Amino acid sequence: MLRRVLFAAALVLVAGCNGSSNSVPPGVTATPSPTPSPTPTPTPAPQHLYVGNDNAAGQILQYTLPVTASSTANFGFASANNVSIGVDASGNLIAGDNAGHLTYFAAPLSASSVPTATFTNGSAVNDGQIAVTTAGDIFVPTVGAATNGFTHPFSNASTPSSTITNAGITSAIGAAFDASANLYVSNAGATSNLFVFAPPYTGAPIATPGLATTSYRKIALSSTQLFATSVAGATGRVDVYALPLTAASAPAFAITTGLNLPEALAFDAAGNLYVGNLGNATITVYAPPFSASSAPAVTLTVSTGAFAIFGIAIGK
């Protein structure tokens, strides 16, 4: 009798190990294993394009990306004589005008946005491109010899926390950071060239050779290339350099198709290049890979009236 009991217990144990329903003792209700809930894939927040107008009654317009030729602005908010725009990682926007004033607009932005801080770009009488660090600090060229740095949070009492100069810079306009926090500055003096300052931006920069009749304005960087707008010639161009820059760097090629006095540049998260054209108030969008034969995938006419594009930015 004892052998029969032990043999039956062994059969139950083996059945349990094999996953048989016989592993549940009689009279006991099995508890089903819960079905795991799938982890939802987060929907990325849409990016926005911001376009400024250098007119006394100017606005900064917001568009949702991707834009098409028929896109219309979500809204606009007042920003007189706008020539430069920067957007930080939280969606706060900093605007610069043609008299050296900087204004800070806190997120979320809307048609009723007004500055929460207004301060000046040191002694500058103009503002170049606004480069924003990952921490939210900004560097703003003066369209003179200096580029001023400002530490957030910003207030009406903000003053430069640092000033970057170099004997070779006479008209700093463009500014941008790469992934290593190197600061790039474009110089639009008698000859145009590019400067690279490594953190903490106090040492001697790398400077590319000067190019005559180039008139560099704003710049933008991908992981492998630098793009610089030029208003030289009848319709201008975008010069493209291979990275890293050296003291011997020269443009690898230029994009010319679809441009009309390009002043401003920005990249979206997909790597598309946006160009703000002063000559006809358009935004032209170019898809990678880029070459001398690149042509716009999209041409958005921002306005057919008085609208002067000097500053664009892409962010939240």
Side-chain angles (χ1 to χ4, degrees):
M1 181 66 179
L2 177 60
R3 290 180 179 178
R4 290 179 181 178
V5 171
L6 292 175
F7 182 72
L11 288 178
V12 170
L13 178 61
V14 171
C17 293
N18 291 333
S20 168
S21 61
N22 291 333
S23 61
V24 180
V28 177
T29 303
T31 302
S33 300
T35 302
S37 300
T39 302
T41 301
T43 302
Q47 286 192 299
H48 295 99
L49 167 68
Y50 296 90
V51 184
N53 181 4
D54 181 18
N55 279 290
Q59 291 184 314
I60 294 176
L61 304 180
Q62 186 205 68
Y63 295 83
T64 300
L65 298 188
V67 296
T68 68
S70 58
S71 289
T72 58
N74 299 323
F75 56 82
F77 54 90
S79 180
N81 301 119
N82 178 266
V83 294
S84 56
I85 304 171
V87 181
D88 69 17
S90 298
N92 304 303
L93 184 145
I94 307 95
D97 70 10
N98 60 9
H101 303 112
L102 297 167
T103 49
Y104 177 82
F105 296 84
L109 302 170
S110 69
S112 58
S113 287
V114 294
T116 57
T118 299
F119 49 103
T120 58
N121 186 11
S123 59
V125 294
N126 205 340
D127 290 314
Q129 188 172 8
I130 298 172
V132 186
T133 71
T134 54
D137 301 331
I138 62 173
F139 286 77
V140 189
T142 60
V143 196
T147 297
N148 291 320
F150 295 83
T151 303
H152 78 293
F154 308 114
S155 72
N156 292 340
S158 288
T159 58
S161 54
S162 63
T163 297
I164 300 169
T165 60
N166 182 268
I169 299 177
T170 57
S171 184
I173 295 180
F177 288 101
D178 66 16
S180 299
N182 297 304
L183 175 64
Y184 296 71
V185 176
S186 67
N187 176 45
T191 61
S192 281
N193 59 342
L194 302 163
F195 290 76
V196 188
F197 296 86
Y201 318 121
T202 55
I206 295 170
T208 64
L211 302 175
T213 64
T214 297
S215 301
Y216 279 161
R217 298 297 193 259
K218 311 295 176 59
I219 58 178
L221 282 78
S222 70
S223 61
T224 59
Q225 295 173 312
L226 180 146
F227 299 74
T229 58
S230 169
V231 293
T235 56
R237 66 182 189 271
V238 174
D239 281 350
V240 184
Y241 290 76
L243 294 179
L245 294 182
T246 70
S249 288
F253 60 89
I255 297 172
T256 57
T257 303
L259 300 178
N260 195 325
L261 302 181
E263 285 279 354
L265 292 174
F267 275 103
D268 67 16
N272 298 303
L273 177 69
Y274 293 67
V275 182
N277 295 286
L278 173 65
N280 57 1
T282 62
I283 302 293
T284 43
V285 185
Y286 299 80
F290 306 103
S291 69
S293 60
S294 288
V298 173
T299 298
L300 168 65
T301 299
V302 175
S303 176
T304 56
F307 202 105
I309 298 177
F310 284 93
I312 67 173
I314 289 175
K316 283 190 175 180

